[in-house]
Structure formats: structure tokens, C-alpha cells
Amino acid sequence: MSNKSPPTWNHQLAARNLAELYLDRNSDLSATLAVCDDGRRFTYQAFWELADRLRCRLWHAGVRPGHRVAMQVDKSMETLGVFWACVRGGFVFLPLNTAYTASEVSYFLGDAEATAFIVSPQRLSEMLAVAESANCQIVLTLDDEGGGSLLETPPREAPPSPDLNWDDIAAILYTSGTTGRSKGAMLSHGNLASNALALVDLWRFTAEDRLLHALPVYHTHGLFTASNTVIFSGGQMLFRRKFSADDVMAQMAEATAMMGVPTFYTRLLQHEGLTQDATRHMRLFISGSAPLLAETHKAFFERTGHAVLERYGMTETSMNASNPYGGERRAGTVGFALPHIDIRVTDPSTGQQLNDREDGMIEIKGPNLFKGYWRNPQKTAEDLRADGYFITGDLGRFDADGYLVISGRAKDLIITGGFNVYPKEIEEILDAMAGVIESAVIGVTHSDFGEAVVAVVACDADIDEAATIAELRKQLAAFKVPKRIVSLRELPRNAMGKVQKAALRKNFGQIFYSLTPGVNAQEINQVHQGQE
Ligand code: AMP
């Protein structure tokens, strides 16, 4: 099934870029945009001025239109302000996960050839050397309460405003790559605007809304989906630096809507304050970034009377599909294509379109589609069909009523607590360790994280699990570090010599529920020693 789209999404807009759209959509700049957990409050006007101050600061430091501004800092309104400074200045925003280690950051700075890098003051000394080796000349600091060298210098004369249009790149968001190397997805002003405007309408956001925003802002979900939907509806954000069930429950009375990853919902379900009374006034709960288990959807409905609206998106495309606001929100599905977006399901090997209810590769086309991978035309070409559809790497089908069901990930991506983990990156580090013959990293079901990272290593003598995890912690962001490491004598392989990850998932899928790893490992060793 595919939706027919009109030729353009922006034919009625006078605005030519995101900055103009901000002003067009918010005639009352005295309205409150954000109430923060540190007690600060930002009007649309104050935030707009902050963005301009940051634009001037970056320009006077040497940043020019088209330059990349990398940032790895804790969440604050200034973080979002830097994105809007880039929007206003024609710079390219490059947010980095706060969990990335110095060696991971070094790759991003070098690959993107960042001109400026904004870091938290605590990591300045560690990151100065990283920036220097990546030839990134400008390093500024920003803490989560609006302090740091980025804001210290008083504003100087305003630099010229660039003439920007919808095709200009506003941000590069890095996605992890299956080969262990991340790719930078280039997102234009038009990509972000078309998506945000579609979501405002679809999810019926208005100036009356107050969105509970507890998501990180280095990822498309918190940075674009949540913030832009509010900004282009003239609503408010209850801006929380971190998610905690206690904090969210304490704020709930002030909110009208919440966006979260599935882990938020499983955590809220463990909170005794989550009741029908506490959520009666809410108009909308939205979930995305990873599959929301049907049982979580059901449990949330039973506790609160709210059917969580699940939607589907990705870094390269922003949002693609959503359950309906008005109609049935079907558990285990991500609903229908957004307006102006086409979704089709194809045979992964031939690219031929399949019939409804047949499982295949999900492909997307629309104004949301990114402008390609940064300096990687080959990878961009590989992921695009000749007729312009993007090959998502997600497998799925349309059910009998046209709801899109995601059935798996072609590329073995693991999503743990809303974060993407690509096995290859961890496998490469494990394989280089003494005593490890080879490794396979898989995602297994976990009640809290959705999926948890588990490593299975082939070795002659069992490796020390705790010591190996400790070693990995030094090299990898915490969310990528396996929660368990199982030792086997050899990995199961198919006739083509490929490691059978499906067999590993089958054997260790219940590791967090029925754990006797030693016994499991012995059993699987016996099973696979018996195989050819
Ligand atoms: P990211 O680029 O980090 O946003 O991750 C995108 C990937 O997350 C998609 O390609 C899907 O595999 C997955 N994803 C996002 N939303 C959902 C959802 N509602 N259900 C299942 N998987 C999802």
C-alpha cells in the first residue's frame, strides 16, 4: 500500500527556511516556549535572541555558513539554542551523544571536518587534544545551566544574515554503521520543516499544549520530533534534563502531552503514581525510536485509559508513519504513512513491490528524506532505489487494514533503551582481545530496555566476564557495553560460513529471565559440536 502525495509539501508557505518559519508560526513571541527543571523559563522571544547571540558568538569565533558545529554537552535550552543559531547562521549542526568516548568523538570531528566543537566544561581538557588532532580549531564550553565560554563573551556587531532556502543543510546526524563506521545523514531545512508541520497537524498540537520533554537532544527524537513539533505549534515544553519516572510523574499535572521511548513507558508502569486520575487531563502519549511491546501498550491502557500512539521514524527520514490521532491506535503497529510520504514494501533482493500483508523491505519516499550521507555518495547510492525510494533496512508489512507492522531489522541493529547499537563495532573490539577467537553481539529481550546487548564469544577457556565488561567500558559508550558476555567453544555457523545469530538469539534470548549462563553455554556447546 502506498499513499499518493501531492507534488510539493510547501506550496503555501511564504517562509523559505526554518528561521523564517519560526517567525511565521509564532506571531506572539511573548508566549512561553519552555519551562526548565532548573527554574528558568524561556519565551519564544528570549529563545530567539539566545539563538542570535550564539550565532554571533560562533561567527566571531570564525564559523561561517556551511561549516560544521559539533557539540557534545548535557541537555539544556542552550543546546537547542545552538541548533537554532546554526539555523539562523547557515551553519551545520552536528550533535553528539554525551556517552561517546574520546576516541569515538575523534572519529566524528575528523570525518565531519568540524570547524567548531562545543563541549561540557568537565570534559574540556580531555577533548582539547581530540579537537586538535582532528584539526578543529575552535573549542568552546557549555554547561547545562547556560554557563561556559560559549556564552561568556558579550555580543558584538551582528554578522550578515545568510540567504537560506529549504535545500540548505541544517544538521548532520551520525547514525551508527553496520561496518562499525558511522555515517552522517545530511538533513535540510525542508526535511525538518516538512516533517514538523505534518506532525503538528497529525497529532493536533496547538499553542495550548505543554509537552513533557525528557528526551535527549542529541538524537532526532528529542532534537527534532519533540522540539520542532512544539515550536511550530506555538506550544510549550516542560524541559527536563533527564528522564526519571519520579520527575515525570511530578510534572504530569502541568502537561498535556508526552513523547518518549518505550523504556519511558515501562518505567512509568513501575511507578505507583501512574493512575487514571494522574493522567486524566493528558491528551496524548506518543512512543517511538524502538518497538513498543504490545503488552506495554495494553498495560498502559489498563492503568491509565490512554492508548499510547506509536510512530516510526529514523535519523535519515525523521518520522515516516504514525498511528492515527482520531482512529484506532493499534498495538504492535506504527500506523500509516504521514501526509506527503510514500511507504512501500519490497522484496529485499529484487526490489519488486510486494502485496499487502507480505513481509519485505520498508522503503520510503517524501520531502522528509535526507540529502544523502556526508561525503559518502557511494553509500547514499546503495541505499536509494533508482526511483528515489530510501531502503530503510527495516523489514515489515501492511496488515489487513493498512497499518504498517515492523517485523525486524535487516541489519541486526540492536535498540537498547532507545539507543542504536551496531554489533560490528563491539565485535571488532572483542575480537582483538586476548583469548577471544571471535565474537557475535546480539540483542535479547529485556523488560526494561526493550533489548539488551549480549556478547557471545568463542574462546578455548571461558573469559572473565566482569573484567571484559570493565575493559569494554573504557572504550565504548555505556549503552553499547554488553550486559552479559557468554563464553562458548565455537560459534554456530551455517553452510555458507556465516555466524547464525538467529540461533544465538534463540538460545540466549531468555538470558535475563532464566539465567544459568554456565549451563546454557555448556548446552549450546554440546549442540553445536554435534553439527557439521
Ligand atoms: P534512529 O536512526 O536512531 O532513529 O533509529 C531508527 C530505527 O529505529 C529504525 O530504522 C527502526 O529500526 C527503529 N524504530 C524506530 N521507531 C520504531 C518503532 N516504533 N518500532 C520499531 N522500530 C522502530
Side-chain angles (χ1 to χ4, degrees):
M1 168 172 297
S2 68
N3 296 357
K4 278 275 157 282
S5 30
T8 59
W9 61 273
N10 64 350
H11 54 283
Q12 289 163 330
L13 289 181
R16 292 166 307 148
N17 55 54
L18 282 169
E20 290 182 4
L21 192 63
Y22 183 102
L23 296 174
D24 276 10
R25 300 280 300 190
N26 294 294
S27 47
D28 179 12
L29 290 176
S30 67
T32 301
L33 166 60
V35 179
C36 307
D37 55 5
D38 59 10
R40 295 188 300 158
R41 181 182 280 265
F42 288 81
T43 61
Y44 276 84
Q45 177 72 35
F47 184 68
W48 194 237
E49 284 166 8
L50 168 69
D52 200 41
R53 208 168 133 207
L54 295 170
R55 170 181 84 102
C56 294
R57 175 76 172 105
L58 289 167
W59 199 88
H60 284 295
V63 181
R64 292 291 175 272
H67 285 178
R68 275 74 60 206
V69 177
M71 181 162 79
Q72 188 191 38
V73 296
D74 290 327
K75 178 179 177 180
S76 71
M77 280 302 283
E78 282 74 14
T79 321
L80 274 191
V82 174
F83 167 63
W84 281 90
C86 291
V87 162
R88 296 191 65 174
F91 318 141
V92 178
F93 185 60
L94 201 162
L96 296 173
N97 190 325
T98 45
Y100 285 144
T101 62
S103 70
E104 288 166 320
V105 169
S106 155
Y107 165 72
F108 296 116
L109 293 188
D111 188 66
E113 292 179 24
T115 300
F117 183 30
I118 302 167
V119 291
S120 57
Q122 301 92 301
R123 295 190 79 182
L124 178 63
S125 54
E126 178 192 13
M127 290 302 177
L128 274 174
V130 173
E132 196 183 337
S133 68
N135 202 23
C136 173
Q137 309 288 339
I138 305 164
V139 180
L140 298 160
T141 59
L142 175 64
D143 66 28
D144 65 354
E145 290 179 340
S149 62
L150 180 65
L151 287 130
E152 270 160 17
T153 317
R156 289 162 49 197
E157 97 204 54
S161 290
D163 191 20
L164 299 167
N165 65 55
W166 294 122
D167 281 333
D168 283 305
I169 303 301
I172 296 179
L173 265 55
Y174 273 82
T175 66
S176 300
T178 38
T179 53
R181 276 298 179 216
S182 300
K183 307 170 300 280
M186 298 186 287
L187 296 159
S188 69
H189 285 241
N191 291 151
L192 301 177
S194 67
N195 215 242
L197 293 180
L199 297 179
V200 170
D201 287 347
L202 198 70
W203 296 339
R204 303 192 194 168
F205 270 80
T206 70
E208 302 305 310
D209 271 303
R210 290 180 303 281
L211 178 80
L212 248 170
H213 189 312
L215 292 156
V217 289
Y218 49 73
H219 183 272
T220 183
H221 192 167
L223 176 61
F224 298 138
T225 311
S227 308
N228 288 350
T229 305
V230 171
I231 285 174
F232 294 127
S233 63
Q236 239 182 70
M237 292 186 270
L238 303 172
F239 204 70
R240 322 306 295 170
R241 277 170 288 186
K242 293 223 155 45
F243 171 85
S244 89
D246 280 341
D247 179 58
V248 162
M249 286 315 306
Q251 289 300 309
M252 192 71 81
E254 303 299 318
T256 62
M258 185 179 108
M259 293 188 199
V261 294
T263 309
F264 285 14
Y265 292 100
T266 53
R267 296 262 169 95
L268 286 176
L269 278 166
Q270 288 159 17
H271 196 285
E272 58 184 21
L274 185 79
T275 60
Q276 220 153 39
D277 272 353
T279 57
R280 198 183 305 281
H281 63 288
M282 292 286 282
R283 70 167 189 88
L284 187 58
F285 288 94
I286 302 175
S287 175
S289 288
L292 181 77
L293 295 179
E295 69 191 53
T296 309
H297 188 280
K298 185 163 168 270
F300 201 85
F301 184 74
E302 280 166 3
R303 275 279 279 287
T304 66
H306 288 280
V308 176
L309 182 154
E310 186 170 8
R311 92 303 180 278
Y312 162 56
M314 57 182 53
T315 300
E316 290 94 331
T317 62
S318 300
M319 293 308 101
N320 300 313
S322 168
N323 267 282
Y325 187 88
E328 181 197 351
R329 299 177 195 160
R330 194 168 286 185
T333 81
V334 293
F336 310 103
L338 263 51
H340 308 304
I341 294 175
D342 288 334
I343 300 183
R344 70 184 183 192
V345 173
T346 62
D347 182 321
S349 46
T350 65
Q352 287 298 310
Q353 187 155 352
L354 297 172
N355 295 321
D356 289 357
R357 288 190 257 178
E358 280 186 299
D359 247 304
M361 177 64 73
I362 299 174
E363 299 187 5
I364 309 280
K365 190 175 175 180
N368 56 329
L369 206 58
F370 72 133
K371 297 290 171 196
Y373 293 114
W374 166 254
R375 292 195 181 155
N376 202 339
Q378 191 191 337
K379 181 66 189 152
T380 306
E382 274 171 27
D383 286 355
L384 284 175
R385 300 271 183 220
D387 58 0
Y389 279 81
F390 175 62
I391 305 165
T392 62
D394 290 317
L395 303 173
R397 64 180 176 280
F398 290 102
D399 76 7
D401 300 313
Y403 285 75
L404 182 64
V405 179
I406 299 176
S407 50
R409 294 184 295 274
K411 300 170 187 165
D412 281 327
L413 174 72
I414 300 166
I415 302 184
T416 179
F419 291 127
N420 286 0
V421 176
Y422 283 87
K424 189 85 183 163
E425 186 183 8
I426 303 155
E427 289 162 5
E428 278 172 2
I429 298 175
L430 281 167
D431 292 353
M433 287 182 172
V436 173
I437 301 166
E438 62 173 341
S439 62
V441 168
I442 53 171
V444 306
T445 308
H446 190 282
S447 58
D448 200 11
F449 298 107
E451 276 186 304
V453 179
V454 168
V456 184
V457 297
C459 44
D460 289 327
D462 286 10
I463 63 159
D464 182 333
E465 186 178 7
T468 310
I469 288 177
E471 182 52 36
L472 288 172
R473 277 191 183 281
K474 292 184 199 154
Q475 301 187 49
L476 290 167
F479 68 87
K480 297 181 191 171
V481 175
K483 302 235 170 328
R484 298 290 319 227
I485 301 184
V486 181
S487 294
L488 294 184
R489 296 295 83 87
E490 62 182 296
L491 297 180
R493 290 180 177 281
N494 68 12
M496 301 301 290
K498 287 200 201 310
V499 174
Q500 291 175 301
K501 285 199 171 175
L504 292 175
R505 284 192 206 100
K506 191 157 174 259
N507 280 286
F508 297 110
Q510 293 298 313
I511 195 166
F512 291 101
Y513 301 99
S514 61
L515 184 63
T516 28
V519 173
N520 250 339
Q522 275 166 13
E523 279 171 2
I524 196 168
N525 270 332
Q526 282 159 12
V527 170
H528 292 291
Q529 271 151 20
Q531 284 189 345
E532 41 76 47

